[in-house]
Amino acid sequence: MLTFTIRRLILSIPVLLLISLIIFLLLNFAPGDPLANQPLTIPPEVRAKMREALGLGAPVYVRYILWLKQFFWVEPLHAFDWAFGTHFSAGMERILSWQFRSPVFDVIVQRIPQTLTVVGMSYLIGVLIAIPIGILSAYRQYSWFDQIGTFISMIGFSVPTFFTGVVLIVVFSVELNWFPSIYDTNLKVVDWPSFVKQVQQMAMPVMVLALYNAAQISRFMRASMLDNLQQDYVRTARAKGMGERVVVLTHVLRNSLIPVVTVIALGVPSIFGGAIITEQVFKVNGLGQLLITAIYADDIPMVQTLTFIFAVLIVVFNLVADILYGLLDPRIRYD
Amino acid sequence: MTEATAAPAPQALRPPRSQWRDVWDQFRTHKGALAGLSVFIFILLFVLVGPLIWRISPTASPTDALTLIRSKNMGPSWAHPLGTDQLARDLLARMMAGGKISIAVGLTAMSLSIFLGTLVGVLAGYFKRLDGPLMRLTDLFLALPLLPLLLVMMLLFRDPIASRLGVEAGTFLLIVSAIGITSWMQCARIVRGEVLALKEREFVLAAKSIGTPPRRMILRHILPNIMSPIMVAATLGIANAIITESALSFLGLGFPPDFPTWGRLLNDAVDLMQETPGLVIFPGIAISLTVLSVNYIGDGLRDALDPRIRGR
């Protein structure tokens, strides 16, 4: 198991390098000028100086290697310094955002809490809803509960999140006036009223994403339960005189959760991608919204770094899913 | 004399049934799939035949300011069954025009992604030497963050391609190829698995032993036998492509405002949703209904094309 993990970790290094190269080349060879939205009155020599200042003067491979060094060496060092109060990274140049004129990672660190509270909470709630629904609709297959569950989950992954979000805004904040339609990031939770406010403003984005996640996970849960309910060991357990509760909740559920856990792990990075749209709808200033504004502002270092972070998340959670599968299912051995 | 009695024609045998007849019979028993099919056909008719009946131009806007202000953002009325938008254009006509583009994008992008996926899958499954590199490529594509990359591609290439090929054709081509080259991986994996299993079957061995060249082998023997998973992947691909296109348009990185697609209509209307919720609701319902119906068709097709289920 350990050798498998180490081998996979080593193998993911070239994959990540290749992905970073693809993203870098896509961004740098694209037609388009990062200075295009500067005023036309800037004289050409000043414009050349500005390009120089942005680091655009060097050849592409130098810039790529510099970015790699900054991402994999300078930024971790800086994080280490920040955590332990040392000064290893003093004088080293960090990745600078062109639109904020400050290090990319400082901005990202400011944005992460919003994304994590909204997205993380919605994923958690989605999983908590999906698992009981999946169990019940598999146990009573083709009952009215199962039919309705199937229909709702079909709606859940057919209706795009930007439409559910907009409908919720129309219903709950325009008509009923229950929840605010814009997420207020400055709100600090200190006492009960501010906590209620926070819950209110999180309710709609969380609902949208939770419905979408629950739709997918409950389908997997149902299919996995159905597979296991027909196995011989279930009949044996019943023949031994065990109660339905024990058979379903202990024997079947534990075995059915194995593939579902890996699906849940695999879904984590795509959640960050899906949140791009939801954050845009509800004006949550998290990572997704940061990416969109950076794309519009031609802020290439920011786009490059964020996209690469998304790629790292995908690779890492693929690895996590594989390892979990090996840990949970004794039939799977990576030797 | 005995020969005459032994001769009667075997009337008990029913006429042979084709495979597609069986598939259709199984498909008909899936109520959701039938409903999905009829809704999808209705939407296709609405989009294709609708403009012939409802002859208001989707871009027509009153020229004088007074009529414009009076007739903009109206609710449903007899003259405009779905109301008008912020420039007093008829929403029904815009929905028809938008649906045509959205569905065209969905179908073309799906064809491209299925073509790429089948090509990669068949090559990887049939030729052992190509298997490793092609599957590593597939894994690499699966590890790319697709939505951010799509957004970046749209932003970077939209204007140069639009200026070269014209706005509508350029954007259409860019969106279709961007969606196509970022969604072929699932199809490739499924096809590869099927091809690998099929390669071990006796009829493939028989065809090989009489000297069938690889090209004919793939086109005559392999491809027809993997049509069913490809068709299921294709239906689900349409849904995926329509959602991706409308998401791009919704984020303002799809078609320019003059070319209405459902996602674009939704995007334009979001700022006005407090006064005229209809402008948001109708395009959203159109997208959701289309995707829902296509998903149900895919569900029914999967059951109908699976011979293990069809027998029952």
Side-chain angles (χ1 to χ4, degrees):
Chain A
M1 200 64 217
L2 191 67
T3 41
F4 168 78
T5 313
I6 293 170
R7 202 173 63 220
R8 278 290 305 266
L9 273 177
I10 293 172
L11 262 177
S12 60
I13 293 173
V15 171
L16 282 176
L17 280 180
L18 210 56
I19 290 175
S20 71
L21 186 65
I22 291 175
I23 298 171
F24 190 85
L25 291 182
L26 187 66
L27 282 170
N28 280 275
F29 279 118
D33 183 11
L35 294 179
N37 46 16
Q38 300 293 333
L40 286 170
T41 45
I42 297 174
E45 57 268 29
V46 178
R47 199 172 273 268
K49 280 261 170 58
M50 285 169 75
R51 294 182 65 86
E52 201 75 22
L54 291 177
L56 283 171
V60 170
Y61 68 90
V62 174
R63 277 187 279 146
Y64 176 61
I65 294 172
L66 180 68
W67 181 84
L68 279 185
K69 182 194 156 203
Q70 286 173 333
F71 190 94
F72 286 106
W73 181 241
V74 179
E75 293 295 342
L77 261 189
H78 185 84
F80 185 85
D81 285 354
W82 182 80
F84 298 102
T86 50
H87 298 285
F88 290 118
S89 67
M92 288 184 185
E93 198 188 336
R94 302 177 63 191
I95 307 174
L96 287 183
S97 157
W98 289 351
Q99 55 174 335
F100 298 107
R101 309 277 175 226
S102 67
V104 165
F105 272 87
D106 288 359
V107 184
I108 292 178
V109 167
Q110 289 167 9
R111 300 299 184 92
I112 279 181
Q114 284 85 277
T115 296
L116 275 188
T117 42
V118 174
V119 175
M121 182 63 87
S122 64
Y123 203 52
L124 202 70
I125 290 180
V127 171
L128 288 182
I129 297 174
I131 288 180
I133 289 181
I135 296 172
L136 254 181
S137 38
Y139 190 64
R140 304 214 177 282
Q141 195 187 3
Y142 301 132
S143 65
W144 61 266
F145 182 86
D146 185 28
Q147 305 281 3
I148 293 176
T150 310
F151 184 66
I152 290 180
S153 71
M154 211 59 162
I155 287 182
F157 59 73
S158 295
V159 181
T161 47
F162 49 84
F163 182 52
T164 23
V166 168
V167 169
L168 287 189
I169 290 182
V170 169
V171 173
F172 287 111
S173 71
V174 177
E175 298 294 327
L176 296 174
N177 221 344
W178 285 0
F179 306 126
S181 72
I182 294 176
Y183 191 92
D184 176 13
T185 326
N186 291 326
L187 185 73
K188 286 211 171 48
V189 180
V190 281
D191 48 4
W192 181 248
S194 65
F195 177 74
V196 171
K197 257 213 163 105
Q198 174 72 16
V199 170
Q200 276 179 342
Q201 67 176 356
M202 273 174 63
M204 285 198 295
V206 168
M207 240 193 285
V208 168
L209 283 174
L211 173 72
Y212 182 72
N213 298 327
Q216 303 201 322
I217 296 169
S218 71
R219 291 288 83 193
F220 280 110
M221 191 67 221
R222 176 178 179 270
S224 170
M225 283 289 286
L226 280 178
D227 274 352
N228 274 296
L229 276 170
Q230 284 150 12
Q231 300 275 328
D232 290 339
Y233 73 82
V234 180
R235 200 190 308 149
T236 312
R238 285 193 179 129
K240 283 197 298 185
M242 286 173 153
E244 269 315 283
R245 247 187 116 77
V246 180
V247 172
V248 175
L249 291 185
T250 315
H251 293 225
V252 180
L253 180 60
R254 284 181 65 163
N255 282 304
S256 318
L257 274 178
I258 297 171
V260 177
V261 166
T262 61
V263 166
I264 292 173
L266 283 178
V268 173
S270 69
I271 282 312
F272 282 88
I276 293 176
I277 292 166
T278 316
E279 284 181 359
Q280 199 69 10
V281 173
F282 292 101
K283 318 262 188 304
V284 182
N285 63 343
L287 288 182
Q289 200 253 0
L290 181 63
L291 180 75
I292 301 272
T293 44
I295 286 177
Y296 274 118
D298 269 339
D299 185 356
I300 289 178
M302 179 68 87
V303 177
Q304 158 96 23
T305 311
L306 271 179
T307 320
F308 187 62
I309 289 177
F310 286 133
V312 171
L313 280 175
I314 296 177
V315 172
V316 166
F317 278 97
N318 272 325
L319 182 62
V320 168
D322 278 354
I323 293 172
L324 273 180
Y325 211 58
L327 285 179
L328 295 175
D329 193 341
R331 287 168 299 186
I332 307 247
R333 280 285 163 262
Y334 304 108
D335 290 323
Chain B
M1 292 306 271
T2 48
E3 283 107 359
T5 50
Q11 281 171 340
L13 266 185
R14 278 178 295 171
R17 293 164 59 84
S18 74
Q19 185 201 357
W20 295 108
R21 184 77 194 264
D22 277 354
V23 168
W24 171 242
D25 280 349
Q26 175 67 33
F27 187 80
R28 274 197 313 192
T29 61
H30 195 301
K31 280 198 205 89
L34 266 192
L37 189 65
S38 37
V39 169
F40 191 63
I41 290 174
F42 172 75
I43 291 172
L44 277 184
L45 286 179
F46 171 73
V47 160
L48 292 177
V49 183
L52 303 178
I53 300 166
W54 189 253
R55 306 192 74 116
I56 296 181
S57 158
T59 50
S61 178
T63 39
D64 64 308
L66 193 64
T67 353
L68 180 80
I69 291 172
R70 278 215 189 116
S71 58
K72 75 173 188 177
N73 290 339
M74 280 197 316
S77 63
W78 282 111
H80 304 289
L82 298 184
T84 55
D85 71 351
Q86 68 276 22
L87 290 175
R89 294 171 292 196
D90 180 57
L91 186 61
L92 183 61
R94 286 177 76 73
M95 291 270 295
M96 290 171 182
K100 206 189 270 175
I101 301 180
S102 288
I103 291 178
V105 166
L107 290 176
T108 335
M110 175 274 291
S111 321
L112 181 63
S113 105
I114 291 295
F115 172 74
L116 284 176
T118 313
L119 185 73
V120 171
V122 167
L123 288 181
Y126 193 79
F127 301 104
K128 219 173 199 150
R129 230 171 332 132
L130 293 176
D131 192 15
L134 283 179
M135 281 299 111
R136 290 296 81 72
L137 183 76
T138 313
D139 289 345
L140 183 74
F141 263 83
L142 279 172
L144 287 173
L146 294 177
L147 189 61
L149 274 189
L150 272 175
L151 293 174
V152 169
M153 272 155 82
M154 288 307 300
L155 184 85
L156 294 174
F157 294 102
R158 188 170 57 173
D159 295 338
I161 289 184
S163 66
R164 207 157 298 163
L165 295 171
V167 176
E168 192 173 13
T171 320
F172 185 82
L173 203 71
L174 180 61
I175 289 190
V176 162
S177 42
I179 296 176
I181 56 175
T182 50
S183 61
W184 52 270
M185 292 82 73
Q186 304 296 342
C187 177
R189 283 189 153 186
I190 297 169
V191 168
R192 171 179 172 268
E194 294 282 323
V195 172
L196 280 180
L198 219 55
K199 246 173 58 178
E200 305 299 319
R201 299 272 289 272
E202 285 82 2
F203 73 92
V204 173
L205 188 68
K208 209 175 245 171
S209 63
I210 58 171
T212 316
R215 200 174 67 91
R216 182 151 332 138
M217 194 78 184
I218 289 170
L219 291 180
R220 289 294 294 270
H221 299 281
I222 306 264
L223 270 186
N225 278 300
I226 53 171
M227 276 318 281
S228 20
I230 293 180
M231 279 178 64
V232 174
T235 16
L236 300 180
I238 299 177
N240 177 38
I242 290 178
I243 286 209
T244 314
E245 185 274 321
S246 47
L248 287 179
S249 295
F250 179 77
L251 294 172
L253 286 164
F255 280 88
D258 292 348
F259 300 99
T261 70
W262 286 337
R264 184 79 224 182
L265 292 180
L266 197 58
N267 180 29
D268 289 345
V270 162
D271 299 331
L272 302 164
M273 70 189 159
Q274 310 221 348
E275 302 106 62
T276 49
L279 289 182
V280 177
I281 302 293
F282 289 119
I285 286 181
I287 299 171
S288 314
L289 259 189
T290 314
V291 174
L292 192 65
S293 66
V294 169
N295 275 338
Y296 263 112
I297 295 173
D299 217 33
L301 261 187
R302 182 171 19 219
D303 288 357
L305 290 171
D306 189 343
R308 281 170 302 180
I309 294 180
R310 201 163 63 221
R312 277 185 242 153

